[in-house]
Amino acid sequence: YELTTLLSGPYDGSNCRIVLTAGAGGTEACDWVNMLYRMYTRHANHIDDFKVSTLDESAGDVVGYKSVELLVEGPNAYGWFK
C-alpha cells in the first residue's frame, strides 16, 4: 500500500529524463557531473526493469562532462527518480 501511494503522482508511471549540467566551477564541476552520471546509471541498472540510455553528452575540457542527458525507461521510472 505504501509503495502504491508513493508512486501515485500524475507522471510517476512515465519515463524519466535527467539532465546534468556542470555550470560554474571548471574541472571540479565537470568531475562532479561525471560522478552523478555514474551514480544515476548504476542505480537505474540495479532496478531490473529499467533501461538507461545516454541521449546527449558534452565532454569536459580535462575530465568528466560539461553536460549529460539520460533517459531512464521502465515502469514508474519518473516516480523513482523524482
Side-chain angles (χ1 to χ4, degrees):
Y1 172 76
E2 291 177 15
L3 186 59
T4 305
T5 304
L6 177 70
L7 300 174
S8 63
Y11 303 110
D12 288 349
S14 303
N15 295 329
C16 179
R17 185 178 302 253
I18 301 170
V19 179
L20 305 169
T21 306
T27 302
E28 283 139 11
C30 292
D31 193 30
W32 177 245
V33 169
N34 186 42
M35 290 180 213
L36 291 173
Y37 170 74
R38 290 183 60 214
M39 180 189 71
Y40 282 124
T41 54
R42 287 180 179 193
H43 178 67
N45 286 330
H46 280 88
I47 300 174
D48 292 332
D49 297 331
F50 284 5
K51 177 187 165 202
V52 182
S53 54
T54 303
L55 301 178
D56 186 37
E57 63 182 36
S58 175
D61 294 332
V62 180
V63 296
Y65 299 102
K66 289 181 182 177
S67 66
V68 177
E69 184 174 358
L70 303 171
L71 177 64
V72 181
E73 299 174 288
N76 297 315
Y78 183 84
W80 283 109
F81 281 89
K82 69 178 178 182

